[in-house]
């Protein structure tokens, strides 16, 4: 008798733990918005055709959204008189971009099925499409998130790992959100696309020794040593193919050509060196691990059921 009651208790606990994400499913909108995927993809494709960097920008928005109080579309909210949003937080100011593209996607989705699809889910689908369009893997996106009604600049300042992070800080931050060390190294591979601002890598190219000298010299040409000079000048995170999603990011790390301090920390004589080697040798392993890690990241603290809302305009609460 005790055994069966213990079993029931264990099952109940499993159901309780699983209930957070049980309401997310890959077919959440299959009847309520059957044209969702085609609508999002065509708008993302159009944006990337105009500017290839936009794929990286949309992917980064999803990452920065999920790492601040979960994947709830809060990064998209403009500041109001009642709260200061995330857009001007240190990790996002002068760097988070693609909000206009999200607006375009939302408008197109609203035409297809008004008031049905959340901005949080639109970000999740747009990030998947961005990766796939730029040559990376695809995956089935779990859906059913709802949008936050508030946000916190402080949470964004504290929640998103800065480019100055060391390996233990990166591992700890990802682990705290339910992401493993391997997930962290795989997700860092998103830096195979996109650009970074001089202010994010200045200290690395002038002060650090675990950096390829010719690479450092190349980067110095567009990033002056003096703070305040050229802060917003851009450099590709992957010097080889900044608009193609593959595993060159890890090959660069093996040559001490990581642009950010936090990038090179993944291959610097520490516990993640072996994972970086694996991904540099096998693009297929990287692709499958990246897709799995993106699905896990999308599971971080979603608002479901009657929590939150489905915004009509991604920039403001209804």
């Amino acid at each position: 008798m005790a055994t069966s009651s213990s079993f029931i208790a264990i099952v109940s606990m499993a159901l309780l733990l699983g209930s957070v994400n049980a309401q997310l499913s890959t077919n959440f909108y299959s009847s309520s918005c059957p044209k969702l995927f085609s609508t999002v993809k065509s708008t993302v494709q159009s944006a990337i055709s105009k500017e290839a960097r936009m794929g990286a920008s949309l992917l980064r928005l999803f990452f920065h959204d999920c790492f601040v109080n979960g994947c709830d579309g809060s990064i998209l909210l403009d500041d109001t008189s009642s709260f200061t949003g995330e857009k001007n937080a240190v990790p996002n100011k002068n760097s988070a971009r693609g909000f206009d593209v999200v607006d375009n996607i939302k408008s197109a989705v609203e035409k297809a099925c008004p008031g049905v699809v959340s901005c949080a889910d639109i970000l999740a689908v747009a990030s998947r499409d961005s990766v796939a369009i730029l040559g990376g893997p695809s995956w089935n996106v779990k859906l059913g998130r709802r949008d936050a009604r508030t946000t916190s600049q402080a949470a964004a300042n504290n929640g998103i790992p800065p480019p100055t992070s060391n390996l233990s800080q990166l591992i700890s931050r990802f682990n705290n959100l339910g992401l493993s060390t391997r997930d962290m190294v795989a997700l860092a591979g998103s830096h195979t696309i996109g650009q970074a601002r001089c202010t994010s890598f200045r200290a690395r190219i002038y002060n650090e020794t675990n950096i390829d000298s010719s690479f450092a010299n190349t980067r110095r040409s567009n990033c002056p040593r003096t703070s305040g000079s050229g802060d917003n000048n851009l450099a590709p995170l992957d010097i080889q193919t900044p608009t193609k999603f593959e595993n060159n990011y890890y090959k660069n790390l093996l040559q001490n050509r990581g642009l950010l301090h936090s990038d090179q920390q993944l291959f610097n004589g520490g516990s993640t060196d072996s994972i970086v080697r694996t991904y540099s040798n096998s693009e297929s392993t990287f692709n499958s691990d990246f897709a799995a890690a993106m699905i896990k990241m999308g599971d971080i603290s979603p608002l479901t059921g009657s929590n939150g809302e489905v915004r009509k305009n991604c920039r403001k609460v209804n």
Side-chain angles (χ1 to χ4, degrees):
M1 189 69 188
T3 306
S4 73
S5 63
S6 299
F7 174 74
I8 291 166
I10 290 166
V11 170
S12 300
M13 181 59 74
L15 289 171
L16 186 67
L17 290 171
S19 66
V20 177
N21 300 326
Q23 293 166 66
L24 295 186
S25 68
T26 55
N27 61 1
F28 190 85
Y29 298 110
S30 56
S31 57
S32 59
C33 193
K35 292 183 178 174
L36 170 64
F37 293 127
S38 58
T39 303
V40 174
K41 189 170 186 178
S42 64
T43 313
V44 172
Q45 179 73 70
S46 172
I48 290 176
S49 296
K50 287 180 188 145
E51 185 199 20
R53 181 189 174 200
M54 188 52 68
S57 300
L58 292 171
L59 176 59
R60 186 168 183 258
L61 280 183
F62 184 54
F63 169 56
H64 282 209
D65 185 38
C66 291
F67 265 58
V68 182
N69 298 328
C71 312
D72 60 3
S74 58
I75 193 172
L76 304 173
L77 289 170
D78 289 338
D79 293 353
T80 71
S81 55
S82 59
F83 63 77
T84 305
E86 300 168 33
K87 289 184 177 179
N88 287 310
V90 173
N92 297 326
K93 191 171 186 177
N94 297 324
S95 66
R97 61 196 298 277
F99 298 108
D100 52 339
V101 175
V102 175
D103 291 339
N104 292 342
I105 300 169
K106 178 65 170 169
S107 297
V109 171
E110 285 294 303
K111 282 195 184 98
C113 33
V116 172
V117 182
S118 69
C119 299
D121 278 346
I122 282 172
L123 264 190
V125 177
S127 61
R128 184 271 310 270
D129 289 346
S130 295
V131 170
I133 288 166
L134 292 175
S138 188
W139 58 92
N140 293 324
V141 181
K142 289 161 70 173
L143 300 165
R145 300 169 194 81
R146 287 165 65 86
D147 296 321
R149 291 193 175 99
T150 187
T151 181
S152 162
Q153 187 174 102
N157 282 328
N158 295 324
I160 298 166
T164 52
S165 300
N166 64 32
L167 182 58
S168 63
Q169 290 169 326
L170 291 168
I171 290 171
S172 174
R173 182 64 191 129
F174 279 72
N175 287 178
N176 288 343
L177 293 170
L179 297 166
S180 69
T181 301
R182 193 177 180 97
D183 292 331
M184 182 270 289
V185 179
L187 290 169
S190 59
H191 285 181
T192 184
I193 53 174
Q195 309 268 332
R197 297 157 63 225
C198 167
T199 186
S200 297
F201 60 83
R202 176 182 281 124
R204 170 151 169 76
I205 62 173
Y206 286 104
N207 303 336
E208 298 187 10
T209 54
N210 60 339
I211 186 167
D212 177 79
S213 57
S214 65
F215 173 70
N217 286 331
T218 300
R219 292 282 68 93
R220 287 171 184 168
S221 66
N222 194 40
C223 181
R225 184 190 288 270
T226 309
S227 183
S229 174
D231 282 2
N232 292 322
N233 292 355
L234 297 172
L237 286 155
D238 170 5
I239 196 170
Q240 298 185 67
T241 50
T243 58
K244 187 170 189 304
F245 196 100
E246 25 60 343
N247 65 338
N248 278 343
Y249 168 78
Y250 301 102
K251 296 177 181 177
N252 294 335
L253 295 184
L254 295 185
Q255 299 169 27
N256 283 339
R257 291 181 163 207
L259 182 62
L260 306 179
H261 173 81
S262 54
D263 288 328
Q264 198 59 55
Q265 283 286 292
L266 303 184
F267 190 80
N268 194 41
S271 61
T272 52
D273 283 18
S274 60
I275 308 173
V276 171
R277 286 190 194 280
T278 296
Y279 292 159
S280 71
N281 289 327
S282 173
E283 190 170 318
S284 61
T285 303
F286 163 55
N287 281 343
S288 60
D289 282 5
F290 181 83
M294 284 293 290
I295 293 168
K296 275 178 78 173
M297 187 174 78
D299 280 345
I300 298 172
S301 306
L303 296 170
T304 57
S306 59
N307 295 316
E309 65 181 18
V310 175
R311 276 182 229 143
K312 296 182 178 71
N313 176 342
C314 290
R315 293 175 182 263
K316 60 184 185 181
V317 296
N318 293 341

